[in-house]
Amino acid sequence: MHVPRGLFAVGLTALLLTAGVAGGLGGVAAQSGSDCSYPLTVTDSTDTEITIEEEPETVVTLAPSAAQTMYEIGAQEKVIGISDRATYLDWDEEKEIVSGEEGFVNTERVIAQDPDIVLAPDIISEEKVEQLRQDEDLTVYHFGASETMDDVVEKTRLIGQLTGECEGADAKATEMEQTLDTVAEAVDGEDSPRVLYAFAGYTSGEGTFIDEILTTAGATNVASEAGISGFQMVSDEVVANQSPEWIVVNDEAPGIPDKEAYNETPAVQNDQIVTVNAHSISQAAPRTVDVVEHIASELHPEAYESAQATTTEDTQNEDTTAVTTETEAPGFGPIVALLALGGAAFLRRE
């Protein structure tokens, strides 16, 4: 029987939360190992040791991936500043924009917010980070680049730890892990269709995060096969020679070039075009998992449906085990057991 990563933790945590046991352990955080106690000392990607004396109440995010993560872990009320590229998120209240012309970080605007912590994803230069640290004595955590989907899951939990939001972060990370496990089961042993990511004449080749998304979803990235690395223009010759079976586009540039090279591909002739959200595919954050799931379900529909059914069955079995264990435990009755089952379902929805 396939047991998704983190599934046992979700069921057990819901059980403990309902019984009133896990509250002192940080709820979900206690199960996953995240620590939301302070003071907290961590080392970031610049090898700088940072000490957070107490739980942050105000957070500035310098790039949309960090903003999206805060949003998805249910911590949007702590966010007081975002870049202009993060305005697509449906914030409960208006946030201050800390980027200036052409989307670059405006140091003065960050300083004006006087945040307890600044989250700086890898696209923010180390020079900018040092400026905020040295000149203004701000607490800034600089993230390294996410290279794998596991990195995104780990970063989600880390942001929860840095901002005092371990419970929400661990719940979201566990949900991401379950989805990735379903995808992994679906694509295991399946043929890998040849896929081109196309965006306004460009594509993503070897060494890009989009390449990781495609391969995780059970695809062969034809750009990588053609020797393209990074984010580059793709020639008609490459498109014709690689003859992709599927083409992935984003909703900011959903059109396919009306050229013979594209029109002759199996992807266009069979109308095998997958459109994904531009923000979700370009930001190494929780919604990236949704993109992986969507692409996998399009490329491998039957295998994905089967894997999803297996996951659902395993989840139901786990819930049943949790109820049985709780009912038989001394000091707890069937009502508490049923509440535990409801708590597990709630955490999965979150």
Side-chain angles (χ1 to χ4, degrees):
M1 180 181 71
H2 173 71
V3 180
R5 293 173 298 183
L7 183 58
F8 178 75
V10 171
L12 180 59
T13 299
L15 192 67
L16 292 175
L17 282 171
T18 307
V21 177
L25 299 176
V28 179
Q31 299 301 318
S32 68
S34 298
D35 182 8
C36 268
S37 60
Y38 299 91
L40 172 69
T41 300
V42 290
T43 302
D44 75 351
S45 66
T46 67
D47 289 328
T48 301
E49 190 175 86
I50 299 164
T51 298
I52 305 171
E53 297 294 345
E54 56 188 15
E55 179 179 333
E57 296 181 358
T58 55
V59 180
V60 164
T61 59
L62 300 186
S65 61
Q68 184 196 123
T69 303
M70 288 293 288
Y71 185 97
E72 288 293 320
I73 68 176
Q76 51 176 296
E77 76 283 350
K78 286 188 175 182
V79 178
I80 58 174
I82 60 174
S83 71
D84 58 357
R85 289 286 293 169
T87 56
Y88 73 92
L89 294 162
D90 187 20
W91 300 102
D92 288 340
E93 57 185 22
E94 187 175 349
K95 306 298 182 182
E96 292 294 328
I97 305 299
V98 297
S99 53
E101 295 181 2
E102 299 180 356
F104 294 112
V105 174
N106 184 303
T107 305
E108 289 73 22
R109 292 182 183 180
V110 177
I111 295 167
Q113 301 310 306
D114 191 26
D116 293 333
I117 188 169
V118 177
L119 303 181
D122 61 286
I123 64 171
I124 306 301
S125 69
E126 292 187 17
E127 290 76 15
K128 182 67 69 175
V129 169
E130 283 306 310
Q131 182 182 357
L132 292 170
R133 284 173 177 162
Q134 301 296 331
D135 296 348
E136 303 302 331
D137 197 28
L138 291 177
T139 300
V140 185
Y141 188 96
H142 190 268
F143 296 87
S146 295
E147 298 180 354
T148 67
M149 298 308 302
D150 284 342
D151 288 345
V152 179
V153 174
E154 181 181 346
K155 185 171 69 172
T156 300
R157 284 198 168 97
L158 175 58
I159 286 179
Q161 184 181 29
L162 294 172
T163 61
E165 298 289 336
C166 285
E167 185 172 339
D170 283 327
K172 173 56 67 173
T174 298
E175 176 187 313
M176 294 161 67
E177 288 173 324
Q178 291 172 354
T179 299
L180 291 171
D181 274 324
T182 300
V183 170
E185 180 174 320
V187 304
D188 184 32
E190 296 288 312
D191 291 337
S192 298
R194 300 173 60 75
V195 177
L196 171 71
Y197 176 66
F199 171 58
Y202 284 80
T203 192
S204 293
E206 186 177 1
T208 64
F209 192 68
I210 291 175
D211 181 65
E212 169 70 7
I213 290 173
L214 295 178
T215 55
T216 301
T220 295
N221 184 2
V222 299
S224 296
E225 293 288 297
I228 295 174
S229 61
F231 192 61
Q232 296 185 32
M233 291 282 292
V234 58
S235 68
D236 291 351
E237 182 181 7
V238 167
V239 174
N241 289 340
Q242 293 298 320
S243 191
E245 300 166 84
W246 291 80
I247 295 178
V248 174
V249 298
N250 70 57
D251 56 9
E252 286 188 351
I256 302 295
D258 187 13
K259 296 181 177 181
E260 182 179 357
Y262 287 85
N263 292 336
E264 293 298 320
T265 64
V268 172
Q269 291 188 353
N270 296 320
D271 194 26
Q272 295 185 154
I273 312 298
V274 181
T275 302
V276 299
N277 182 273
H279 300 293
S280 299
I281 196 170
S282 62
Q283 298 167 18
R287 293 185 186 182
T288 303
V289 175
D290 299 335
V291 174
V292 171
E293 180 181 35
H294 179 51
I295 295 174
S297 67
E298 292 286 340
L299 271 55
H300 308 281
E302 294 182 2
Y304 183 78
E305 184 178 354
S306 176
Q308 196 171 40
T310 300
T311 299
T312 301
E313 181 181 355
D314 289 344
T315 300
Q316 292 172 344
N317 290 339
E318 190 67 38
D319 288 343
T320 302
T321 301
V323 170
T324 303
T325 302
E326 186 64 28
T327 303
E328 295 175 352
F332 300 105
I335 294 179
V336 173
L338 290 173
L339 287 174
L341 177 58
F346 173 78
L347 284 178
R348 284 196 301 278
R349 289 198 301 273
E350 289 296 294

